Amino acid sequence: MRNIRYELKSDVELKQYFLRNVWIFLIYIALVVILKTNEIQILSYIPNYNNVDMSGIYNIFCIFLFIVTFIIYLKVVVTSYKTNKGRKCTFYDNMLVYENEYAIMKTKDVTYENINKIVIEKNILDKIFKTGTIRIHKAVEYDEGMAINMLKDVNKEMNKIQEIVKRKY
């Protein structure tokens, strides 16, 4: 029987995913606004068959574009949230087990001797929301690493991992 020494998983709530990804939605809203403000110029390129008022059709198109954009935004946020919530890393006495349970259950068992490096990654959004990613790389040439995203206190988590693995990076 293996002793669990530590379990690491993302602890960020769904509302933070909405806030982090709001820029996607804002870009689409800006596109709709640009289309709407340039309505007269755009409609001038469309031939007017049988004196049909194209502005009504154009308004429907803008509303449709807005709805599609909102659906894409929700899909991105929910998928991102479920993907990150499904990842966890369990540290045992001599190895770690990385699990990704979102779409297909993936499990990686790695002994501590096979760990090449452990790094903290922070992008602009991580700095704004005071989160970070810990990525554990195996000693394999083409290894993208095992990532646990959106950790609230990433430095504290890194210290715990280093203490367990007993290697400083």
Side-chain angles (χ1 to χ4, degrees):
M1 178 140 174
R2 301 185 285 189
N3 291 333
I4 295 176
R5 296 199 50 202
Y6 190 63
E7 190 169 272
L8 181 66
K9 58 183 164 181
S10 180
D11 53 357
V12 177
E13 299 150 13
L14 185 59
K15 66 180 177 183
Q16 280 190 303
Y17 281 89
F18 278 105
L19 292 173
R20 285 178 66 99
N21 294 303
V22 76
W23 61 272
I24 296 169
F25 187 60
L26 292 177
I27 288 172
Y28 286 119
I29 294 299
L31 176 65
V32 171
V33 168
I34 290 169
L35 286 174
K36 193 65 183 148
T37 55
N38 294 321
E39 177 179 2
I40 295 170
Q41 290 89 357
I42 294 170
L43 288 177
S44 68
Y45 294 110
I46 300 173
N48 191 354
Y49 295 109
N50 298 328
N51 294 326
V52 175
D53 182 21
M54 295 301 288
S55 63
I57 295 171
Y58 190 76
N59 288 337
I60 292 171
F61 171 74
C62 287
I63 291 169
F64 174 76
L65 186 62
F66 176 80
I67 291 169
V68 168
T69 301
F70 189 69
I71 291 170
I72 291 170
Y73 168 69
L74 288 177
K75 173 82 172 128
V76 167
V77 169
V78 171
T79 303
S80 173
Y81 177 73
K82 285 183 177 179
T83 300
N84 288 326
K85 277 298 186 187
R87 292 180 184 163
K88 85 177 173 184
C89 206
T90 307
F91 293 86
Y92 296 97
D93 290 330
N94 62 345
M95 67 183 292
L96 69 89
V97 176
Y98 176 79
E99 297 174 48
N100 189 351
E101 303 172 343
Y102 175 59
I104 300 171
M105 179 65 166
K106 281 172 125 180
T107 304
K108 294 180 186 177
D109 296 350
V110 180
T111 59
Y112 295 143
E113 296 84 34
N114 291 331
I115 293 176
N116 187 25
K117 64 182 175 178
I118 303 171
V119 294
I120 294 175
E121 298 173 353
K122 287 188 175 191
N123 59 27
I124 294 170
L125 291 174
D126 285 327
K127 291 176 183 175
I128 292 170
F129 289 100
K130 297 180 176 124
T131 60
T133 298
I134 292 181
R135 190 173 297 274
I136 302 169
H137 294 275
K138 297 186 299 183
V140 179
E141 188 174 338
Y142 299 108
D143 178 43
E144 64 200 33
M146 299 167 279
I148 304 294
N149 300 333
M150 295 185 71
L151 297 167
K152 286 184 182 172
D153 194 354
V154 71
N155 292 325
K156 185 175 105 179
E157 302 288 358
M158 180 70 157
N159 291 336
K160 287 179 185 176
I161 292 171
Q162 287 176 339
E163 184 181 306
I164 293 169
V165 176
K166 294 186 176 73
R167 290 172 68 179
K168 300 293 178 193
Y169 298 96

